[in-house]
């Protein structure tokens, strides 16, 4: 969601801050701002520019106002407390102190009341402004800005990543985190802070990832990190694998289009460790995985949104192939109900960013219930979720900028196939012949995905009519029901067409009442054990005047005709079929959104990384 950038340097850092914000735009935001210590006078003074437009508009304002400084902070805000407005935009200022903040402060009302009694006035509706006033208040009783920030964050309840500058301490940026991601970039004679590595790759690949409770003072000379009590801490420096060009469009119109077409390579990279292998190994999931995975008797998957759909597909694989009980929970719901813990279950968390607040909180809740064995499937190696998990598998999808997840989803599915195979093998349910067969299918998967992309011209023709619709139904059976759910989600997210998914067998239990000529029905129809039953469900749609759009396997004897349109998939993938059938649904959503003229990469009201509850 919100993005933070901070810098301390011997040069004008406004271009660095603005470029950092541009690289965080994919996370979603509705306002942006930057504050620097203007060094043109003998005594540095705070200068701030804020805008409810895009970062490019903020950049124009900063240029017009001659914004310049060697120390500063910047922010993109996704509204939680208070409507999108200039007054609510960050940075917030209090008597020469400027603060940017990601997260939610749960006790802001209590702190606000206390500060008002001290005479502080509030200009915004945000929870963040209390932090600015609190730091300013604590500066009077502290040795410096670092101490004031440490004292202030100790008073906060909730999630926060903050970066603070002060006119009276013009040589440092002070940062702190709890429950929201924050990292430090190490340069040469200059240092930086950000909520996401992508904001800093243009200035340094060297990153320090702060842990919950860390506070840090960043100067040109170096970085000092302590806990909230002031005790010194050491944190390792990591070399980021991101490159400045990884988040560029290249030949594509939108990041979503690019990321759909990157899926063959992303899946190939994810499966690289088994491409030339003759067997799957538990070590794919980290040191000690053989002992852990060999001892578990169930799997509990925790995830949100698209990642939740990946978990639902995995349940079919895990129970069908590995013969291990599997439950899949929406992470945001899991910790708010009374569940029955199983200490011998493997808790699998799935996340593209590894910073999803609900998933992180669900993992912590599972641990409190006595769950010991944890595995993260994630696309970001330095993320909070990876660091918090005992075992991990990195999906290697590369940066995913479009808000609507595409390649993260298919690489998650690829990772979950490997987990299924390993668990099946450890439980004596994967014969050598079956293992070799599945490995051949995985080696062919990137080629199969490339072949599926060739249906795009046909999907594009469908989208022209789809874009005129206000509603759509998606149908799937068995393991393809979660794929229907994912297809409906994609269409909703970026085209704003209301779409719902149903297990096809449930059609006559209610949804059939919606079917008429204005309700297109999209069906996923692979040639599997449920194909004939699915055909019966589709006949029910035609009998009510509904128009069918069917994605069928190449060897399926299903032909188009009056009210039935069929696109044949170039490959039949068996167990891997859900991965292939995902692609045309993504393409349908993408082209329908293009036809409707929506913002494909930044759909309204949504954010890429949901770092608040």
């Amino acid at each position: 969601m919100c993005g933070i950038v901070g810098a301390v340097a011997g040069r004008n850092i406004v271009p660095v801050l603005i470029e950092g914000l541009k690289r965080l735009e994919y996370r979603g935001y509705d306002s942006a701002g930057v504050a620097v210590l203007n060094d043109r006078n003998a005594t540095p003074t705070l200068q701030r520019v804020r805008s409810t437009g895009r970062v490019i508009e903020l950049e124009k304002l900063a240029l017009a106002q001659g914004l310049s400084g060697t120390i500063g902070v910047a922010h993109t805000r996704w509204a939680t407390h208070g409507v999108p407005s200039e007054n609510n935009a960050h940075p917030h200022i209090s008597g020469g102190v400027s603060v940017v903040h990601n997260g939610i402060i749960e006790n802001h009302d209590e702190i606000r009341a206390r500060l008002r009694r001290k005479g502080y006035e509030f200009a915004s509706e945000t929870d963040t402004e209390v932090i600015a006033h609190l730091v300013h208040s604590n500066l009077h009783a502290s040795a410096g800005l670092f101490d004031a920030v440490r004292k202030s964050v100790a008073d906060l309840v909730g999630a926060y990543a903050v970066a603070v500058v002060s006119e009276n301490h013009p040589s440092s940026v002070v940062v702190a985190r709890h429950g929201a991601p924050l990292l430090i970039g190490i340069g040469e004679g200059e240092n930086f802070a950000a909520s996401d590595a992508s904001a800093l790759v243009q200035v340094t690949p060297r990153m320090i990832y702060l842990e919950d409770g860390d506070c840090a003072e960043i100067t040109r000379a170096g970085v000092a990190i302590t806990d909230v009590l002031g005790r010194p801490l050491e944190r390792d420096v990591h070399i980021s694998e991101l490159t400045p060009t990884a988040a560029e469009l290249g030949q594509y119109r939108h990041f979503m289009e690019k990321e759909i077409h990157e899926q063959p390579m992303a899946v190939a990279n994810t499966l690289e460790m088994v491409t030339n292998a003759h067997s799957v190994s538990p070590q794919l999931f980290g040191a000690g995985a053989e002992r852990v995975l060999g001892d578990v008797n169930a799997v509990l998957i925790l995830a949100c949104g698209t990642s939740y759909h990946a978990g639902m597909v995995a349940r079919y694989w895990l129970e069908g192939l590995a013969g291990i009980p599997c439950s899949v929970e929406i992470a945001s719901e899991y910790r708010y109900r009374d569940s029955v813990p199983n200490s011998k279950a493997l808790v699998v968390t799935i996340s593209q960013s590894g910073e999803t607040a609900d998933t992180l909180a669900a993992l912590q809740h599972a641990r409190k219930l006595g769950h010991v064995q944890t595995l993260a499937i994630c696309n970001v190696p330095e993320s909070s979720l990876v660091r918090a998990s005992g075992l991990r598998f990195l999906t290697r999808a590369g940066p995913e900028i479009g808000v609507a997840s595409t390649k993260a989803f298919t690489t998650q599915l690829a990772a979950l196939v490997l987990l299924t195979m390993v668990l099946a093998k450890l439980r004596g349910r994967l014969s050598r012949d079956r293992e070799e067969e599945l490995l051949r299918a995985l080696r062919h998967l990137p080629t199969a995905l490339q072949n599926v992309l060739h249906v795009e011209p046909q999907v594009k023709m469908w989208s022209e009519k789809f874009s005129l619709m206000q509603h759509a139904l998606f149908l799937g059976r068995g393991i393809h029901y979660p794929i229907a759910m994912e297809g409906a989600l994609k269409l909703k997210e970026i085209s704003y067409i209301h779409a719902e998914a149903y297990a096809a067998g449930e059609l006559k239990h209610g949804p059939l009442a919606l079917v008429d000529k204005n309700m297109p029905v999209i069906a996923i129809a692979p040639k599997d054990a449920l194909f004939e039953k699915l055909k019966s469900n589709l006949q029910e749609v035609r009998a009510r005047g509904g128009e069918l759009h069917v994605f069928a396997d190449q060897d399926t004897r299903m032909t188009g005709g009056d009210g039935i349109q069929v696109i044949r998939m170039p490959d039949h993938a068996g167990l891997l079929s859900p991965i292939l059938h995902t692609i045309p649904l993504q393409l349908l959503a993408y082209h329908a959104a293009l036809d409707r003229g929506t913002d494909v990469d930044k759909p309204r009201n949504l954010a890429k990384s949901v770092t608040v509850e």
Side-chain angles (χ1 to χ4, degrees):
M1 285 190 173
C2 307
I4 287 175
V5 190
V8 182
R11 54 173 167 149
N12 177 23
I13 47 84
V14 172
V16 174
L17 297 176
I18 295 291
E19 179 62 25
L21 292 187
K22 288 179 179 178
R23 291 172 180 268
L24 294 179
E25 285 189 289
Y26 75 94
R27 296 168 68 96
Y29 68 104
D30 45 48
S31 62
V34 59
V36 296
L37 294 180
N38 192 316
D39 56 359
R40 287 177 294 189
N41 302 318
T43 303
T45 56
L46 270 175
Q47 188 176 359
R48 175 179 63 174
V49 177
R50 297 183 291 178
S51 169
T52 55
R54 291 297 182 189
V55 172
I56 188 68
E57 299 302 320
L58 180 72
E59 184 177 32
K60 291 175 183 176
L61 287 172
L63 186 63
Q65 295 184 25
L67 197 67
S68 175
T70 56
I71 295 177
V73 291
H75 192 266
T76 52
R77 175 179 185 257
W78 191 83
T80 53
H81 295 77
V83 300
S85 68
E86 186 173 331
N87 277 350
N88 288 331
H90 300 208
H92 289 286
I93 287 178
S94 176
V97 172
S98 186
V99 172
V100 293
H101 161 235
N102 289 355
I104 292 178
I105 305 304
E106 296 174 6
N107 61 337
H108 66 95
D109 283 334
E110 171 193 326
I111 298 173
R112 181 180 285 106
R114 195 168 74 224
L115 289 166
R116 278 186 171 140
R117 288 195 292 272
K118 290 185 175 183
Y120 285 95
E121 296 182 358
F122 288 80
S124 78
E125 304 166 84
T126 69
D127 55 337
T128 300
E129 192 177 4
V130 304
I131 304 174
H133 291 318
L134 191 59
V135 172
H136 180 265
S137 175
N138 285 329
L139 268 174
H140 296 295
S142 302
L145 182 63
F146 193 28
D147 288 339
V149 172
R150 284 196 299 103
K151 185 176 180 181
S152 298
V153 298
D155 220 4
L156 304 178
V157 175
Y160 59 80
V162 297
V164 187
V165 294
S166 169
E167 288 178 343
N168 294 327
H169 303 82
S171 61
S172 65
V173 174
V174 176
V175 299
R177 72 152 286 184
H178 178 80
L182 195 65
L183 58 92
I184 296 169
I186 306 298
E188 297 293 334
E190 55 185 21
N191 293 301
F192 311 91
S195 52
D196 189 314
S198 61
L200 300 182
V201 289
Q202 80 276 13
V203 288
T204 180
R206 302 173 65 215
M207 313 282 182
I208 295 174
Y209 294 87
L210 298 179
E211 302 286 347
D212 274 357
D214 286 1
C215 301
E217 184 172 31
I218 305 169
T219 65
R220 289 184 61 191
V223 176
I225 304 173
T226 75
D227 63 17
V228 74
L229 298 176
R231 294 173 296 205
L233 298 170
E234 293 292 331
R235 299 291 183 224
D236 294 336
V237 177
H238 301 266
I239 304 302
S240 176
E241 297 178 3
L242 291 175
T243 63
T245 59
E248 294 179 359
L249 272 173
Q251 63 179 323
Y252 297 99
R253 290 168 291 177
H254 300 94
F255 281 107
M256 184 178 181
E257 180 189 23
K258 178 188 179 190
E259 288 154 12
I260 289 172
H261 284 265
E262 285 178 338
Q263 287 176 108
M265 181 59 70
V267 169
N269 290 340
T270 299
L271 296 173
E272 183 180 32
M273 288 182 287
V274 298
T275 299
N276 298 311
H278 298 291
S279 64
V280 290
S281 167
Q283 276 64 46
L284 290 167
F285 298 91
E290 184 169 5
R291 176 189 57 80
V292 171
L293 299 181
D295 191 47
V296 298
N297 65 6
V299 176
L300 168 62
I301 296 176
L302 304 173
C304 298
T306 286
S307 297
Y308 171 71
H309 295 158
M312 290 184 69
V313 173
R315 180 174 61 185
Y316 287 89
W317 285 331
L318 288 162
E319 295 196 344
L321 183 64
I324 188 168
C326 177
S327 58
V328 187
E329 297 266 6
I330 298 172
S332 59
E333 292 290 323
Y334 167 68
R335 62 195 174 108
Y336 294 113
R337 72 174 186 85
D338 294 328
S339 58
V340 180
N342 172 6
S343 62
K344 290 185 70 68
L346 174 69
V347 176
V348 179
T349 51
I350 309 173
S351 171
Q352 187 282 135
S353 68
E355 304 295 349
T356 306
D358 286 318
T359 306
L360 284 164
L363 175 60
Q364 293 169 0
H365 179 67
R367 282 194 167 135
K368 288 178 181 177
L369 292 178
H371 291 284
V372 177
Q373 309 303 348
T374 58
L375 163 66
I377 294 177
C378 184
N379 191 40
V380 182
E382 305 92 351
S383 64
S384 299
L385 193 66
V386 169
R387 298 199 307 272
S389 301
L391 303 176
R392 69 283 313 269
F393 187 96
L394 299 176
T395 52
R396 300 184 64 188
E400 188 179 68
I401 308 302
V403 166
S405 182
T406 52
K407 62 179 180 175
F409 179 65
T410 46
T411 53
Q412 287 168 356
L413 291 177
L416 289 162
V417 171
L418 293 179
L419 177 63
T420 300
M421 292 174 66
V422 167
L423 285 169
K425 190 173 181 178
L426 290 172
R427 294 168 67 84
R429 292 177 59 95
L430 188 67
S431 69
R432 182 68 187 133
D433 288 346
R434 181 62 167 148
E435 182 179 14
E436 290 177 350
E437 177 190 346
L438 289 173
L439 284 171
R440 285 194 298 270
L442 288 172
R443 292 186 195 104
H444 178 66
L445 184 57
T447 301
L449 289 168
Q450 191 66 54
N451 292 339
V452 172
L453 287 168
H454 295 157
V455 305
E456 185 168 12
Q458 297 168 267
V459 173
K460 188 175 180 181
M461 290 177 62
W462 283 10
S463 72
E464 293 173 4
K465 187 172 182 179
F466 255 86
S467 65
L468 304 175
M469 300 297 176
Q470 298 304 313
H471 308 277
L473 281 177
F474 286 71
L475 301 179
R477 293 210 68 151
I479 198 170
H480 293 88
Y481 167 48
I483 300 303
M485 296 176 69
E486 176 63 13
L489 176 61
K490 287 291 154 287
L491 193 66
K492 282 184 280 196
E493 283 179 310
I494 62 170
S495 75
Y496 314 148
I497 296 171
H498 171 244
E500 297 296 336
Y502 286 91
E506 287 292 291
L507 195 61
K508 52 185 171 289
H509 294 280
L512 197 57
L514 296 170
V515 172
D516 61 17
K517 60 184 177 62
N518 297 315
M519 176 68 80
V521 176
I522 303 95
I524 305 166
K527 190 177 181 182
D528 59 15
L530 291 170
F531 177 66
E532 292 301 326
K533 293 187 179 297
L534 178 64
K535 283 176 64 177
S536 298
N537 301 138
L538 301 186
Q539 288 166 3
E540 294 167 355
V541 172
R542 282 301 301 132
R544 274 77 178 174
E547 185 163 315
L548 285 166
H549 299 74
V550 182
F551 292 103
D553 282 350
Q554 185 63 44
D555 55 354
T556 300
R557 286 181 295 187
M558 178 176 283
T559 57
D562 182 33
I564 303 178
Q565 299 184 51
V566 179
I567 290 179
R568 296 189 184 282
M569 303 286 281
D571 280 281
H572 173 67
L575 187 81
L576 305 182
S577 175
I579 304 176
L580 296 192
H581 276 275
T582 296
I583 304 294
L585 300 179
Q586 295 171 347
L587 290 169
L588 180 62
Y590 174 72
H591 286 289
L594 283 186
D595 292 337
R596 289 170 70 94
T598 61
D599 191 337
V600 173
D601 286 334
K602 304 182 186 73
R604 68 189 182 200
N605 304 331
L606 298 180
K608 181 63 178 174
S609 182
V610 185
T611 55
V612 295
E613 185 178 355

